[in-house]
Amino acid sequence: EDQVTQSPEALRLQEGESSSLNCSYTVSGLRGLFWYRQDPGKGPEFLFTLYSAGEEKEKERLKATLTKKESFLHITAPKPEDSATYLCAVQASGGSYIPTFGRGTSLIVHP
Amino acid sequence: ETGVTQTPRHLVMGMTNKKSLKCEQHLGHNAMYWYKQSAKKPLELMFVYSLEERVENNSVPSRFSPECPNSSHLFLHLHTLQPEDSALYLCASSQAASLRGETQYFGPGTRLLVL
């Protein structure tokens, strides 16, 4: 059974205090790993897709990395507008369309 | 701004009501999805329509019934729901469901409350 575990569940940072969010996964063959951002009362917003170990992608203050067991979302010098819930999902290569989502990390960045 | 729209944004219904949720995507995608998001739980995929083929999560109760008349529109028909069905219902679309690691684009969701 595919599993996705995100940690920490919640994270509070001061503005400018860099940190990382973790997404550990167990899947029988990875088709893709996805990071989304979700603001309260809104649908998830796509951030990154990673396909293979060693791959990295960046967007503004965010950088996503991937190994064979986990992915990290690094946040460099965060700002209050980065406050949101960050969701990780994996899609297995076994033929199912159904992605497995983690419970998310709730990030609050204080000014 | 997302190319996936959902109506209504909020819905309150009794357990004996029948209502429908609507989703429309303006991205030219070929696959559409319904998700349920409950508090403190992971996103749960309910249904997938890809190239007019339907795939469903077997754990979804029959009181939820999807309809996909074309590749741009998706409905979720609701009938005799239970209070535990109260949640945020999200629609998403992707270029295709079968290709490698398709990115999904989500709508804003419908907040449903069942009394």
Side-chain angles (χ1 to χ4, degrees), chain A residues 9 30-32 34 36 38 41-46 49 51-52 55 87 91 96-103, chain B residues 9 35 37 40-43 45 48 50 53 55 57 88 90 97-108:
Chain A
E9 184 175 324
L30 181 68
R31 176 178 288 173
F34 308 88
Y36 291 88
Q38 187 173 23
K42 296 186 177 181
E45 175 189 346
F46 168 74
T49 305
Y51 295 106
S52 58
E55 189 175 1
L87 301 173
Q91 190 176 31
S96 169
Y97 302 154
I98 299 177
T100 301
F101 279 80
R103 294 175 183 270
Chain B
R9 294 295 309 277
Y35 284 89
Q37 188 173 39
K40 303 296 183 183
K41 292 185 178 181
L43 272 171
L45 181 65
V48 181
S50 174
E53 176 188 4
V55 175
N57 185 335
L88 181 67
L90 291 159
S98 60
L99 297 181
R100 181 179 182 227
E102 286 295 325
T103 299
Q104 297 178 14
Y105 295 87
F106 286 82

Side-chain angles (χ1 to χ4, degrees), chain B residues 4-5 7-8 11 36-37 51 53 62-63 68 71 75 84 86 93 95 106 109 113:
Chain B
V4 181
T5 58
T7 55
L11 178 63
K36 176 183 179 182
Q37 188 173 39
L51 299 175
E53 176 188 4
S62 60
R63 55 186 181 267
C68 189
S71 61
F75 296 90
E84 60 264 29
S86 299
S93 72
Q95 185 62 43
F106 286 82
L113 177 61

Side-chain angles (χ1 to χ4, degrees), chain A residues 13-100:
Chain A
L13 299 174
Q14 289 298 126
E15 184 172 2
E17 179 187 1
S18 301
S19 187
S20 297
L21 312 183
N22 178 263
C23 173
S24 298
Y25 65 91
T26 303
V27 65
S28 55
L30 181 68
R31 176 178 288 173
L33 183 143
F34 308 88
W35 282 100
Y36 291 88
R37 169 194 170 125
Q38 187 173 23
D39 293 299
K42 296 186 177 181
E45 175 189 346
F46 168 74
L47 293 174
F48 303 108
T49 305
L50 301 168
Y51 295 106
S52 58
E55 189 175 1
E56 299 182 353
K57 289 191 176 176
E58 290 188 64
K59 179 181 179 180
E60 296 180 352
R61 295 178 292 281
L62 301 177
K63 179 180 178 180
T65 62
L66 181 66
T67 72
K68 290 186 178 180
K69 295 183 179 180
E70 58 191 350
S71 176
F72 290 95
L73 185 65
H74 306 279
I75 304 177
T76 302
K79 298 181 177 181
E81 52 262 43
D82 295 321
S83 298
T85 295
Y86 291 84
L87 301 173
C88 172
V90 297
Q91 190 176 31
S93 58
S96 169
Y97 302 154
I98 299 177
T100 301

